[in-house]
């Protein structure tokens, strides 16, 4: 058992020279029964935009406060202790930028132990302890509350979460042990593993109460008074605390391991096995079934220290920073003041992509959206989809009946291009054929005003060539969404040679209004995401074309960390689309990109995998394997390691060229595109830190993309 009192934590303050200290202010409150409750308020003295955080100095002060209260409890001066936060905020957890500066695993371990040391004092204060979760509580903020005997929560709490797994670490200040023992294993898995991986989903006050994280819930109007009265009831015995989700014997003996097993399978199929933190969290949750809190906390210390010092946490911090900062202020964005107002949107094509972004435009811009296609039947199909989605949003309570009526009234479908006359933003998503797109724009230009902006959703054609028949090519910009549009946060904004500043600015401002992150790219084949994926998929197809088995190829890139295997990705984007993308890249860069006859064969055949009734992969389709397998004697199979190395080196070369050619402004933009447009996991930190870490950058161009290389410490 760790005796935290013997550990010297004094070195840790150095890590937080500029820590904004969250102070612990204490005041005594007389409860209705006459008992005295010492209320600690955590407050960093800043406004609500700077939540309380928990750096080493803060924790040490909180610890000293609890020491003083322990003495007062022993002297009989107080009957209870409670902790709450400044208005609407309990605490947002550790200051992660500082955690990233931890120099060694030994220091990381001390940081983990400091949390346990301090929060342990709450448990041992000698009188009943309460946490009043009066608002935002994230990570360590939740663990402050879990350390108390009882909790209440404000129903207006906007977000409560243990997001650590998302950032490559685990809830290591008590969360991984205490939460499952409070709310049961299935609920704890949701909070600690599933939600972080679902785009970092958080709980509202009511959700947290329903899961059993809090024992009582009160509205914001009299939250503190109500919590104090309730606490008084607990002290006097008038209130009996019930914990229906607390795990019983049967749950521990039967359900626990089963739930962990199911979660593990879910993880393996969704994110592969490369990301360490979700699996470390699973191991801790599994072990939390039995043993003392002290044993659980010691395991948390070890796991947290190892992860904090490792590559993946540093990579996550880098990725988090990109998404928080660089994505919000895109490199090379022109003056916003140049942007033209968008008061009516025209959409050409009512297919898969067009109908999805028609919905997005109407919801986010709240302006009339007119959609067209080759004939009325196709228009109607697109409209049916959009209206169906609006109905679903309404039935789920995501929009009000008024909003639903408004959106339906704003959407209009037609085959008459004259209805585009007053549109000031027109975007096309017709077939991916140059001639078709050129003709579509030449035709629409006859209808729209002089100043209307035109946008193309092409995935890989040249925007310059698409605009070749335009009288005003300066008004055309690439605006490349990713499927599914509602989920994928990226838009590649393609700045073609003729595109003028006002058009580019309109595109950037429009992307922001759509709540998408825009990255500006040059007008080069595949822009960023498809060029990288074409490289990966081309190498993968080349491996099987030359005789590597499907099994070997399909697993070879696992360490690279993409959320799915190359073959799964090909089926997801569609085999025909995939073949087309490879052809386009081969045509542009014949010396570096493979095309694949076999992929066309697979596209004709229609599938690679066998699947069960629920769509789950059960194996490779025999016919697909036969199509690709070369005749005996011609086969020259590769090993998994050879394929991985080819892909890594090929990507290092490609990214290096992209930067030389100014396809984007910096390596960070390529990383951002992969994270936001291809689901590349945070734990990998984007593509370029990965290529540096595995040595591909050095091998290929004798340098690294990042100086210093983003990696962990010993
Ligand atoms: N599917 C994806 O994942 C994806 C992702 C990003 C970009 N894109 C790009 O979006 C575009 C559309 O792709 P999609 O998957 O939505 O295809 P789709 O086949 O589902 O839709 C294309 C629609 O355009 C219509 N159309 C064709 N010619 C037209 C014309 N002259 N006037 C009006 N309508 C016309 C077709 O009838 C069809 O309904 C392509 O350029 C594609 O590369 C697709």
């Amino acid at each position: 058992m760790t005796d935290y009192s013997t550990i010297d934590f004094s070195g840790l303050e150095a890590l937080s020279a500029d820590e904004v200290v969250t102070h612990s202010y204490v005041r005594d409150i007389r409860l209705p029964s006459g008992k005295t409750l010492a209320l600690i308020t955590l407050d960093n003295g800043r406004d609500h935009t700077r939540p309380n955080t928990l750096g080493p100095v803060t924790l040490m002060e909180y610890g000293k406060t609890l020491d003083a209260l322990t003495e007062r409890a022993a002297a009989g001066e107080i009957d209870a202790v409670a902790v709450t936060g400044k208005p609407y905020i309990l605490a947002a957890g550790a200051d992660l930028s500082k955690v990233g500066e931890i120099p060694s695993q030994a220091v990381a371990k001390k940081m983990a132990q400091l949390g346990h040391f301090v929060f342990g004092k709450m448990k041992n204060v000698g009188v009943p302890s309460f946490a009043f979760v009066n608002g935002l509580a994230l990570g360590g903020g939740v663990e402050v509350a879990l350390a108390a005997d009882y909790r209440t929560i404000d129903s207006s709490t906007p977000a409560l979460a243990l997001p650590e797994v998302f950032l490559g670490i685990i809830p290591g200040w008590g969360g991984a042990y205490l939460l499952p023992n409070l709310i049961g294993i299935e609920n704890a898995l949701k909070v600690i593993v599933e939600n972080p991986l679902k785009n970092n989903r958080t709980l509202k006050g009511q959700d947290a109460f329903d899961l059993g994280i809090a024992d009582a819930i009160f509205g914001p109007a009299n939250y503190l008074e109500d919590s104090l009265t309730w606490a008084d009831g607990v002290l006097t015995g008038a209130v009996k605390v019930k914990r229906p989700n607390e795990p019983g014997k049967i749950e521990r003996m039967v359900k626990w391991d089963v739930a962990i097993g199911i979660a593990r399978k879910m993880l393996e199929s969704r994110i592969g096995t490369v990301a360490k933190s979700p699996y470390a969290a699973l191991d801790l949750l599994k072990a939390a079934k039995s043993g003392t809190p002290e044993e659980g906390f010691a395991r948390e210390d070890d796991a947290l220290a190892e992860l904090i010092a490792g590559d993946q946490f540093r990579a996550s911090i880098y990725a988090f920073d990109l998404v928080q900062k660089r994505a919000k202020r895109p490199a090379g964005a022109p003056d916003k003041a140049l942007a033209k107002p968008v008061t009516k949107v025209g959409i050409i094509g009512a297919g898969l992509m067009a109908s999805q972004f028609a919905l997005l435009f109407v919801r986010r811009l709240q302006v009339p959206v007119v959609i067209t296609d080759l004939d009325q039947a196709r228009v109607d199909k697109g409209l049916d989809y959009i209206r169906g989605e609006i109905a679903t949003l309404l039935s789920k309570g995501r929009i009000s009946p008024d909003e639903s009526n408004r959106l339906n009234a704003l959407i209009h479908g037609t085959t008459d291009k004259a209805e585009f006359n007053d549109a000031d933003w027109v975007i096309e998503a017709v077939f991916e054929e140059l001639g078709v797109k050129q003709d579509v724009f030449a035709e629409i230009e006859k209808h729209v005003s002089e100043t209307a902006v035109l946008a193309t959703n092409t995935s890989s054609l040249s925007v310059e060539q698409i605009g070749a028949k335009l009288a005003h090519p300066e008004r055309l910009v690439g605006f490349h969404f990713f499927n599914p549009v509602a989920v994928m946060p990226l838009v590649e904004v393609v700045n073609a040679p003729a595109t003028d500043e006002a058009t580019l600015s309109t595109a950037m401002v429009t992307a922001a209004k759509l709540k998408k992150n825009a990255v500006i790219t040059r007008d080069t084949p595949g822009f960023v995401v498809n060029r990288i994926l074409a490289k990966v998929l081309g190498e993968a197809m080349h491996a099987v074309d030359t005789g590597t088995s499907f099994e070997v190829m399909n697993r070879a890139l696992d360490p690279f960390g993409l959320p799915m295997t190359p073959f799964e990705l090909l089926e997801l984007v569609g085999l025909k689309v995939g073949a087309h993308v490879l052809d386009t890249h081969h045509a542009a860069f014949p010396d570096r990109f493979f095309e694949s006859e076999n992929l066309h064969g697979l596209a004709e055949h229609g599938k690679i995998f066998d699947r069960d009734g629920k769509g789950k992969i059960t194996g490779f389709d025999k016919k697909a394997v036969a199509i690709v397998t070369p005749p005996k004697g011609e086969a020259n199979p590769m090993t998994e390691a050879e394929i991985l190395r080819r892909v890594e080196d090929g990507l290092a070369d490609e990214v290096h060229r992209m930067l030389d050619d100014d396809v984007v402004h910096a390596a960070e933009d390529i990383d951002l595109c992969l994270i936001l447009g291809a689901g590349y996991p945070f734990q990998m930190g984007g593509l370029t830190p990965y290529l540096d870490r595995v040595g591909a950058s050095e091998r290929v161009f004798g340098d690294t993309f990042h100086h210093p290389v983003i990696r962990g410490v010993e």
Side-chain angles (χ1 to χ4, degrees), residues 445-506:
E445 199 176 34
K446 291 187 206 140
H447 292 277
V448 296
S449 73
E450 278 280 305
T451 54
V453 168
L454 305 178
T456 168
N457 183 48
T458 182
S459 335
S460 54
L461 297 172
S462 153
V463 175
E464 184 180 18
Q465 286 177 26
I466 290 175
K469 293 188 180 170
L470 283 175
H472 292 286
E474 70 278 3
R475 58 156 87 181
L476 179 64
V477 66
F479 205 77
H480 182 213
F481 282 103
F482 292 79
N483 188 30
V485 174
V487 177
M488 301 301 283
L490 181 68
V491 173
E492 288 173 336
V493 171
V494 185
N495 186 13
T499 309
D500 69 15
E501 292 263 291
T503 302
L504 189 64
S505 179
T506 310

Side-chain angles (χ1 to χ4, degrees), residues 424-613:
D424 36 28
W425 170 279
V426 177
I427 180 166
E428 68 75 27
V430 301
F431 301 138
E432 184 76 350
E433 284 172 34
L434 183 60
V436 176
K437 291 193 194 275
Q438 283 176 336
D439 291 347
V440 158
F441 278 125
E443 153 95 31
I444 211 70
E445 199 176 34
K446 291 187 206 140
H447 292 277
V448 296
S449 73
E450 278 280 305
T451 54
V453 168
L454 305 178
T456 168
N457 183 48
T458 182
S459 335
S460 54
L461 297 172
S462 153
V463 175
E464 184 180 18
Q465 286 177 26
I466 290 175
K469 293 188 180 170
L470 283 175
H472 292 286
E474 70 278 3
R475 58 156 87 181
L476 179 64
V477 66
F479 205 77
H480 182 213
F481 282 103
F482 292 79
N483 188 30
V485 174
V487 177
M488 301 301 283
L490 181 68
V491 173
E492 288 173 336
V493 171
V494 185
N495 186 13
T499 309
D500 69 15
E501 292 263 291
T503 302
L504 189 64
S505 179
T506 310
M508 296 305 283
V509 169
T510 301
K513 285 192 179 148
L514 296 173
K515 297 210 170 127
K516 296 290 172 193
N517 297 123
V519 172
I520 297 178
T521 84
R522 266 192 55 210
D523 188 17
T524 50
F527 318 123
V528 175
V529 175
N530 281 344
R531 181 156 163 189
I532 298 291
L533 293 181
K535 186 77 201 167
V536 175
L537 296 176
E539 290 291 340
M541 278 314 299
H542 177 67
V544 292
D545 287 349
T546 53
T548 308
S549 73
F550 274 37
E551 287 78 9
V552 168
M553 192 290 285
N554 202 40
R555 292 265 70 96
L557 302 187
D558 284 359
F560 181 53
L562 275 176
M564 53 186 83
T565 69
F567 274 157
E568 287 167 18
L569 189 60
L570 275 170
E571 270 203 352
L572 181 84
V573 300
L575 298 173
K576 285 207 172 112
V577 176
H580 184 69
V581 170
L582 292 205
D583 289 350
T584 314
H585 284 81
H586 177 70
F589 312 113
D591 54 327
R592 307 198 305 279
F593 281 76
F594 290 107
E595 59 184 339
S596 169
E597 258 315 300
N598 282 330
L599 186 52
H600 286 279
L602 288 175
E604 277 306 309
H605 173 56
K607 65 176 191 165
I608 295 176
F609 293 105
D610 286 330
R611 293 175 187 267
D612 66 13

Side-chain angles (χ1 to χ4, degrees), residues 264-279:
R264 194 177 297 276
K265 285 227 174 69
M266 181 275 291
L267 276 182
E268 285 170 2
S269 81
R270 269 199 38 215
I271 60 161
T273 52
V274 173
K276 290 182 184 161
S277 60
Y279 293 97

